[in-house]
Every structure is written in structure tokens, then in C-alpha cells.
């Protein structure tokens, strides 16, 4: 039996529980992969495969820098792999022996968050399909935005669920073992690029699924969310929540209550109809350009583009609801000034849905909060721009004008987060001056320290008579005194030589090292305190996530309405009217695609 080093033994122990994932193992400033994982990653990522001493033999190894890991993970996900992130969960300075490590998150194609998302204009769905007592349950969620939908139907109506699966086209689909035959989906050529995951039967029944739902949303009963009588739907929702708990290792606060829908709420179309109508992609080349979506899309926000896609794929069938949209488009079409002003404001909005998702999943960075602040700051001007709209002209626009401006959110971020804050959260520069007294005091020590180094350098030049002397810093030696070769005869005996270079030599002194310790302690304390303060600010924002998501939906809706009005203006489209004679009359019409 091969005996490995303690670190490799730790790796193997963790890997044993994650055989279906590529394990990214944090080692200093790199995420390393070993054994067969390294061979796969080196091939897929086109990086160098090396080896390290594993104790008894050489172990295949490759690695990627931790600060660039997201781009590598995205490439692995695109190739159908799942990735387990194994982080250091204790401070290496405090560790006795091997640093404690744990898998902190499992990333699969359907559970992608934040910067790993490939196409911001499309939803990235995780779905679940189950069969329970002659009823099929189908649920799907976009983990990055929190959108959650669920339905169920009789087993005989499985063609509708198949068409729904094609419409949603999830990146990953959970099939509950023995509750539904996965071959039904996997043998379907149109689902060839969906990754299917089979779950074991014993973990899934209505009671267990209901417990997951009640725990996620802190509910006593499911009656209030419309799932009480839909057991197949409950199992599908529960399967998704259980899978997210297992992979994300934390409760995702931004996940919305599942919305129950039926085939009576929008026009029912089978897969072939969708394709032949070229709604979101062309028939020949499967491209967005040239499809109905490509023709109508003048949206300025990612969340607007995603909503427009949903409106096209789920056409309304209620005359009153259709007319509400048409009223809004007509108002925006009639006033080019109003439309232009709104579109200029919407151009300043970031992807609020996914910013709220990053906040709710705990991965938001300082720049995300600044983007959130900038997006919400346009709301007062937007409300003012829409203030003259009357309800009888457009109920939708009238309601949008009543949008909450979320002033407490923008005020907190504006007071707390520095406008020049970095993306990283462990290197300082996050918290604005004046927000936290202790942070301000530690910064003062740092500034005084920089001044002390300048005066120390001047003092040493004068004391020793060395003109070519300067204080420098690097990560290996810390602070040092650099002396030119021409001045070496003037170096005093208390200088301790540390390094010889071509034209200079580097020294330290006891005084310089003592002050360095003081400075580094202050810097470390400052960075720790800024990190904690940033976490506190994010914690305060969590209660606002439902309101942020409501605002995101409202802004997305306005973006879509303005986009349709822009398309109507550019293409000279005319508003249709309804009749009750079962007739379609088109004069001077042309096909949009």
C-alpha cells in the first residue's frame, strides 16, 4: 500500500466524497488538482501537467491561480464537468500541522452563480422532473436570479412537459430515480446538451420535500403558496432545494417562492411549432440574429433581454392583459421624448436580478454593491419622467411610476463603500473614510508609518553619510535598506546583510524590523476589520433582497416595453385590435422575420 504525504492523504480523503466532481484544492495562492483530475483539467484547460512528490511516488498535478479561477471553472462547466471547491477553512498561521480544508461549494452546470455565468442575456436553469401517482411534476429555477417556477399535469399529458423542458432548456435536469424514466428525456435529440442527474428514490417523497420547502421559506404550511394539493410539484421543488443545499453548502436567501403555473396561462406550443416560428433562434443556423427575438430586442439591460425572451416564448392569451401591454407600448411609441429619456436612464442600470442573487448567495464583492447603488440611483429620475402618465392611458406605466426607490439601500452603500473599492475583499480599500472610527484610526497609523519610513531614510543618510541609500519593500524580506556598492565602506556594523544584487546590497536593522512589525500588524488588523465591516454591510442589505428583486422585475418590464415601442417606431408597426368573430384581418402586412 502506497503511503502518501499528510497533504495528499487529506486530498484523497476529501476526494473520496466527491468522485463525480473535479476537486479544486486550495494550496496557498493556487487551486491544485491531482491524479486523474489533474490529467483531465490539463487536457481540457490546455495547461501544463506537472508532478509533485506524494510521499511514495510522483503524483500528477496541475493548478490555476486563485484570483483567476473563475475563468477556468467556466471552461470546465462549459465542457459538462462539475467542480468541487475545497478551501482552507482556518488561518494557516494558526494551524497546527496540515491546514484544515473543506469543500465549501459544488458548482454544476445548473447551479452557476456570479461571474461564472456565460450568457447574461439568457437564464441558466436547473430543472427537476418527477412522476408521483400518475402526476408529473416539473420545476425549474435560475439560481443566479432566484426565479422559481413549478407545474404538474396528468401522466398522459407528458408531451406538454416535454415541450416545457424544451422551452426552458435547463443546463441541468434532476430525474428522481424510479419516479420518472430518464430515458424519456435522454433519448430525445433536442435535449442532447442538457446534463441529466439521477437522484435516489428514498430521499424524495412529499413529506420530505415539504420539509425542505418549509425550512427554506420558514413556513408552517404549503397552503399559502399554492402547492398544498400538488404533491408531484412539491417533490420537484423539494428535489431542487435539497440539491442546492447539498451543492451550495449554505441557504440561498434570494431564492423566490416557487410560482405555480398551468398550461392555461399562456399559449400552448409544441417543440416543432416553436422551432418553425423561429421565435428565439433561426431554423437553419440556430442563431439569435434573424429570429423574432433578434428583430424585437432593443433592450438596454440584461434582465430586460431575459424578460423579452420569456414574453416571446410564453405569449399571453388573456385579452385584458394583452391590452395592458399594448397600452404601454402605444404611450411610449407616441412620445419619442419620453421613450428617449427612459432609455437613457435604463442604460445606467446593471443586472439587478443577478446582483441581488450574488448578495443572497454571499458572493457579492464591493464593486457589486457600487453597481447596485448606481442602478438604484436612477429611480427618482425615472419616477419623475413617468409622473405625467395617467392610469387611463396606461395602467402598467402608471404602476411603474410608483416604484420604490429603495433609498435606504443607496444611502447605506454611499456612506459605507469607497467609490474606488477593489473587487477583492481581503486587501483593504473597501470602507469609505468616516464610516467606521477604528478603521479610520488604523489608516492613520498606516499614513504615519509611511511618513516614518521617509524620515527614517533621511535620518540614516545623514547619520551614515551614504548618499545612495533608500528604504524598499518586498514580500520576501519585508522592509530593507538598499545601499549602492560605492557606499559599502560607509555601512555601519549594526546593519545586517540580507541580499547581494549586481549593483547594490540590501540590509535590515533592528529598529526597521520592529517598526515593520508594528506596520504589518496595523495593516493586517485594518484589512480584517474592513472585511468584517463589509460583511456587516452586506448583512444589513439582505432584508432588502425581495424589494430589490421586485424593482428588478419592474425595471426589466419597463425596458421590454420601451424596446417594443422602439421596434414599432423603427419598423412602422401598427397596434392590433381584437374582434369576437374569429377572424384575422391583416392589411399591408409583412412577416417580421
Amino acid at each position: 500500500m502506497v503511503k502518501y504525504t499528510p497533504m495528499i492523504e487529506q486530498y484523497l480523503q476529501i476526494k473520496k466524497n466527491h468522485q463525480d466532481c473535479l476537486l479544486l484544492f486550495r494550496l496557498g495562492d493556487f487551486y491544485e488538482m491531482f491524479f486523474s483530475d489533474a490529467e483531465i483539467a490539463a487536457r481540457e484547460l490546455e495547461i501544463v501537467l506537472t508532478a509533485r512528490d506524494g510521499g511514495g511516488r510522483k503524483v500528477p498535478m496541475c493548478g490555476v491561480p486563485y484570483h483567476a479561477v473563475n475563468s477556468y471553472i467556466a471552461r470546465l462547466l462549459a465542457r459538462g464537468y462539475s467542480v468541487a471547491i475545497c478551501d482552507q477553512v482556518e488561518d494557516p498561521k494558526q494551524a497546527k500541522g496540515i491546514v484544515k480544508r473543506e469543500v465549501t461549494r459544488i458548482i454544476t452546470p445548473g447551479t452557476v452563480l456570479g461571474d461564472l455565468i456565460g450568457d447574461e442575456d439568457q437564464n441558466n436553469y436547473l430543472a427537476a422532473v418527477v412522476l408521483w401517482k400518475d402526476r408529473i411534476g416539473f420545476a425549474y429555477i435560475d439560481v443566479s436570479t432566484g426565479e422559481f417556477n413549478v407545474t404538474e399535469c396528468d401522466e398522459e399529458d407528458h408531451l406538454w412537459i416535454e415541450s416545457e423542458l424544451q422551452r426552458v432548456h435547463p443546463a441541468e435536469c434532476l430525474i428522481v430515480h424510479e419516479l420518472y424514466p430518464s430515458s424519456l428525456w435522454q433519448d430525445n435529440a433536442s435535449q442532447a446538451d442538457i446534463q441529466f442527474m439521477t437522484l435516489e428514490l428514498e430521499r424524495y417523497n412529499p413529506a420530505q420535500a415539504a420539509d425542505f420547502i418549509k425550512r427554506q421559506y420558514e413556513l408552517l404550511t404549503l397552503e399559502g403558496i399554492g402547492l398544498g394539493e400538488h404533491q408531484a410539484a412539491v417533490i420537484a421543488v423539494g428535489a431542487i432545494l435539497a440539491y442546492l443545499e447539498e451543492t451550495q453548502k449554505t441557504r440561498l436567501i434570494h431564492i423566490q417562492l416557487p410560482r405555480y403555473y398551468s398550461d392555461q396561462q399562456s399559449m400552448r406550443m409544441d417543440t416543432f411549432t416553436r422551432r418553425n416560428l423561429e421565435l428565439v433562434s433561426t431554423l437553419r443556423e440556430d442563431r439569435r440574429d434573424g429570429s423574432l427575438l433578434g428583430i424585437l430586442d432593443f433592450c438596454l439591460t440584461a434582465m430586460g433581454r431575459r424578460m423579452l425572451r420569456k414574453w416571446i416564448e410564453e405569449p399571453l392569451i388573456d385579452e385584458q392583459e394583452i391590452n395592458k401591454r399594448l397600452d404601454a407600448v402605444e404611450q411610449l411609441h407616441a412620445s419619442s421624448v419620453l421613450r428617449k429619456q427612459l432609455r437613457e436612464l435604463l442604460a445606467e442600470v446593471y443586472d439587478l436580478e443577478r446582483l441581488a442573487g450574488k448578495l443572497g448567495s454571499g458572493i457579492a464583492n464591493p464593486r457589486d454593491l457600487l453597481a447596485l447603488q448606481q442602478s438604484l440611483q436612477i429611480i427618482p429620475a425615472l419616477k419623475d419622467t413617468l409622473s405625467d402618465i395617467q392610469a387611463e392611458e396606461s395602467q402598467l406605466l402608471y404602476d411603474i411610476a410608483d416604484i420604490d426607490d429603495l433609498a435606504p439601500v443607496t444611502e447605506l452603500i454611499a456612506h459605507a463603500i469607497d467609490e474606488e473599492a477593489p473587487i477583492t475583499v481581503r486587501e483593504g480599500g473597501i470602507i469609505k473614510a468616516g464610516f467606521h472610527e477604528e478603521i479610520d484610526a488604523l489608516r492613520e497609523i498606516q499614513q504615519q508609518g509611511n511618513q516614518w519610513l521617509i524620515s527614517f531614510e533621511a535620518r540614516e543618510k545623514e547619520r551614515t553619510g551614504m548618499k545612495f541609500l533608500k528604504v524598499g519593500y518586498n514580500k520576501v524580506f519585508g522592509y530593507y535598506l538598499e545601499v549602492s556598492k560605492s557606499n559599502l565602506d560607509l555601512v555601519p556594523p549594526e546593519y545586517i546583510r540580507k541580499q547581494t544584487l549586481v549593483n547594490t546590497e540590501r540590509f535590515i536593522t533592528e529598529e526597521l524590523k520592529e517598526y515593520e512589525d508594528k506596520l504589518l500588524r496595523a495593516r493586517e488588523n485594518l484589512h480584517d476589520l474592513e472585511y468584517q465591516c463589509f460583511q456587516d454591510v452586506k448583512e444589513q442589505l439582505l432584508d432588502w433582497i425581495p424589494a430589490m428583486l421586485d424593482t428588478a422585475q419592474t425595471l426589466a418590464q419597463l425596458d421590454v416595453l420601451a424596446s417594443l415601442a422602439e421596434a414599432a417606431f423603427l419598423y412602422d408597426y401598427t397596434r392590433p385590435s381584437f374582434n369576437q368573430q374569429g377572424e384575422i384581418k391583416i392589411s399591408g402586412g409583412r412577416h417580421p422575420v
Side-chain angles (χ1 to χ4, degrees):
M1 182 177 176
V2 179
K3 184 169 176 60
Y4 293 105
T5 62
M7 191 274 289
I8 294 294
E9 288 286 358
Q10 183 189 45
Y11 168 86
L12 289 169
Q13 191 63 35
I14 295 169
K15 175 65 181 175
K16 188 166 41 173
N17 297 321
H18 300 90
Q19 295 292 337
D20 54 346
C21 299
L22 296 178
L23 182 65
L24 271 63
F25 191 79
R26 182 70 181 266
L27 210 58
D29 288 339
F30 283 80
Y31 279 103
E32 305 285 4
M33 286 155 280
F34 301 104
F35 299 100
S36 60
D37 282 9
E39 292 166 353
I40 292 169
R43 181 182 70 246
E44 297 287 3
L45 299 174
E46 299 178 344
I47 56 179
V48 176
L49 179 68
T50 61
R52 70 174 289 153
D53 180 19
R57 62 185 174 112
K58 291 287 186 182
V59 171
M61 178 184 85
C62 69
V64 296
Y66 82 95
H67 57 80
V69 71
N70 280 351
S71 63
Y72 293 102
I73 293 173
R75 286 162 65 185
L76 291 171
L77 292 171
R79 287 164 172 79
Y81 295 98
S82 296
V83 175
I85 306 296
C86 183
D87 282 314
Q88 297 172 175
V89 293
E90 69 173 331
D91 188 341
K93 296 173 186 172
Q94 309 295 326
K96 294 178 181 177
I98 295 293
V99 177
K100 188 178 179 184
R101 294 177 175 87
E102 291 176 2
V103 170
T104 55
R105 187 178 162 208
I106 298 171
I107 308 170
T108 67
T111 59
V112 177
L113 283 164
D115 301 330
L116 293 172
I117 296 168
D119 186 351
E120 65 174 15
D121 295 344
Q122 285 196 52
N123 289 97
N124 190 78
Y125 289 121
L126 167 71
V129 180
V130 302
L131 176 68
W132 181 263
K133 296 181 179 177
D134 303 325
R135 298 284 288 176
I136 304 174
F138 176 63
Y140 61 96
I141 186 170
D142 184 335
V143 183
S144 69
T145 67
E147 176 198 348
F148 206 168
N149 300 287
V150 63
T151 189
E152 72 172 45
C153 66
D154 288 330
E155 184 181 2
E156 294 146 6
D157 207 10
H158 66 86
L159 288 176
W160 178 57
I161 296 296
E162 288 184 54
S163 69
E164 280 295 277
L165 190 64
Q166 174 62 19
R167 176 183 68 80
V168 172
H169 210 85
E172 189 175 6
C173 184
L174 309 176
I175 305 290
V176 180
H177 183 54
E178 293 177 14
L179 294 189
Y180 213 90
S182 58
S183 59
L184 181 67
W185 315 109
Q186 291 164 314
D187 292 345
N188 188 333
S190 65
Q191 327 294 355
D193 57 343
I194 299 174
Q195 182 164 312
F196 289 88
M197 175 73 68
T198 302
L199 303 178
E200 292 305 315
L201 172 63
E202 58 268 15
R203 287 194 61 188
Y204 300 98
N205 59 56
Q208 282 186 300
D211 286 342
F212 272 110
I213 298 170
K214 287 187 277 192
R215 188 162 72 243
Q216 170 67 33
Y217 300 108
E218 299 177 347
L219 301 171
L220 294 176
T221 174
L222 303 186
E223 297 298 329
I225 61 172
L227 293 181
E229 301 300 317
H230 302 289
Q231 291 192 328
V234 166
I235 296 173
V237 170
I240 285 177
L241 291 177
Y243 189 67
L244 291 178
E245 186 177 277
E246 185 178 311
T247 56
Q248 304 307 295
K249 311 295 182 185
T250 185
R251 178 170 168 254
L252 302 175
I253 295 170
H254 66 287
I255 291 178
Q256 299 171 54
L257 281 165
R259 176 187 72 92
Y260 188 85
Y261 72 101
S262 74
D263 63 342
Q264 303 302 311
Q265 290 171 257
S266 62
M267 187 181 292
R268 186 166 177 173
M269 293 182 281
D270 61 34
T271 300
F272 301 106
T273 302
R274 291 180 186 281
R275 282 193 56 74
N276 290 327
L277 286 173
E278 298 186 294
L279 296 178
V280 297
S281 62
T282 57
L283 198 56
R284 286 189 178 180
E285 298 177 328
D286 198 30
R287 293 178 56 196
R288 182 180 182 278
D289 292 343
S291 69
L292 182 61
L293 176 62
I295 296 293
L296 297 180
D297 186 4
F298 291 92
C299 292
L300 295 163
T301 69
M303 52 197 182
R305 288 188 284 274
R306 292 194 297 270
M307 181 175 281
L308 176 59
R309 185 186 184 101
K310 288 174 198 164
W311 283 16
I312 289 172
E313 290 196 306
E314 301 176 67
L316 293 175
I317 54 176
D318 182 277
E319 182 180 338
Q320 186 177 355
E321 291 301 312
I322 293 170
N323 274 319
K324 281 171 80 171
R325 286 184 185 173
L326 291 175
D327 288 343
V329 173
E330 185 172 40
Q331 283 294 312
L332 296 172
H333 175 267
S335 175
S336 58
V337 173
L338 174 63
R339 189 170 72 251
K340 182 173 181 288
Q341 289 175 333
L342 290 174
R343 285 172 58 78
E344 285 174 352
L345 290 169
L346 287 166
E348 300 296 315
V349 177
Y350 288 87
D351 195 337
L352 269 178
E353 277 187 314
R354 284 185 168 153
L355 288 172
K358 291 176 80 172
L359 189 62
S361 55
I363 62 172
N365 63 47
R367 296 272 180 88
D368 292 328
L369 297 199
L370 292 173
L372 181 61
Q373 177 197 358
Q374 181 179 323
S375 301
L376 296 176
Q377 279 177 337
I378 67 109
I379 292 179
L382 186 147
K383 288 163 69 80
D384 186 56
T385 305
L386 289 171
S387 60
D388 291 336
I389 296 288
Q390 302 300 311
E392 56 269 22
E393 296 171 328
S394 168
Q395 185 65 49
L396 270 183
L397 294 180
Y398 182 78
D399 291 342
I400 289 171
D402 195 38
I403 185 175
D404 186 353
D405 61 11
L406 298 183
V409 174
T410 54
E411 287 168 10
L412 175 59
I413 297 171
H415 285 123
I417 308 299
D418 192 284
E419 292 87 347
E420 302 298 322
I423 292 176
T424 56
V425 296
R426 288 286 189 181
E427 295 174 13
I430 300 172
I431 303 302
K432 186 177 282 188
F435 184 73
H436 194 288
E437 286 185 12
E438 196 174 342
I439 288 174
D440 290 344
L442 286 169
R443 283 192 182 136
E444 183 67 27
I445 291 172
Q446 274 205 313
Q447 290 166 1
Q448 290 172 356
N450 293 335
Q451 198 57 49
W452 184 91
L453 290 168
I454 293 169
S455 60
F456 174 74
E457 179 183 299
R459 176 157 46 88
E460 286 301 294
K461 282 182 178 179
E462 185 178 346
R463 182 174 76 87
T464 62
M466 290 187 282
K467 293 180 181 178
F468 301 104
L469 174 149
K470 67 175 183 180
V471 174
Y473 177 84
N474 67 30
K475 288 186 177 180
V476 178
F477 300 121
Y479 289 102
Y480 55 80
L481 289 156
E482 190 164 87
V483 179
S484 70
K485 289 281 176 75
S486 61
N487 281 176
L488 286 179
D489 58 324
L490 298 174
V491 171
E494 66 270 17
Y495 277 30
I496 304 165
R497 182 180 276 106
K498 293 298 290 183
Q499 189 179 25
T500 300
L501 303 177
V502 176
N503 298 313
T504 61
E505 295 212 16
R506 291 173 176 174
F507 300 85
I508 61 169
T509 69
E510 289 297 332
E511 183 182 12
L512 184 59
K513 293 314 285 181
E514 284 176 13
Y515 205 82
E516 178 189 320
D517 289 343
K518 180 180 176 182
L519 274 181
L520 293 180
R521 275 198 305 274
R523 183 186 301 167
E524 194 173 300
N525 290 341
L526 173 60
H527 291 176
D528 288 346
L529 195 55
E530 282 204 68
Y531 173 77
Q532 189 54 56
C533 187
F534 176 63
Q535 297 302 113
D536 292 344
V537 170
K538 289 201 296 181
E539 188 72 27
Q540 291 178 59
L541 293 174
L542 293 181
D543 289 341
W544 291 93
I545 286 177
M548 290 179 205
L549 290 170
D550 285 346
T551 296
Q553 285 289 295
T554 302
L555 293 179
Q557 188 178 51
L558 181 62
D559 192 19
V560 174
L561 295 169
S563 173
L564 294 174
E566 186 77 4
F569 173 77
L570 292 173
Y571 303 142
D572 196 24
Y573 289 162
T574 302
R575 175 174 179 166
S577 59
F578 285 88
N579 70 74
Q580 304 301 323
Q581 283 73 53
E583 298 176 334
I584 297 177
K585 294 182 180 179
I586 302 172
S587 301
R590 62 188 186 276
H591 197 292
V593 297

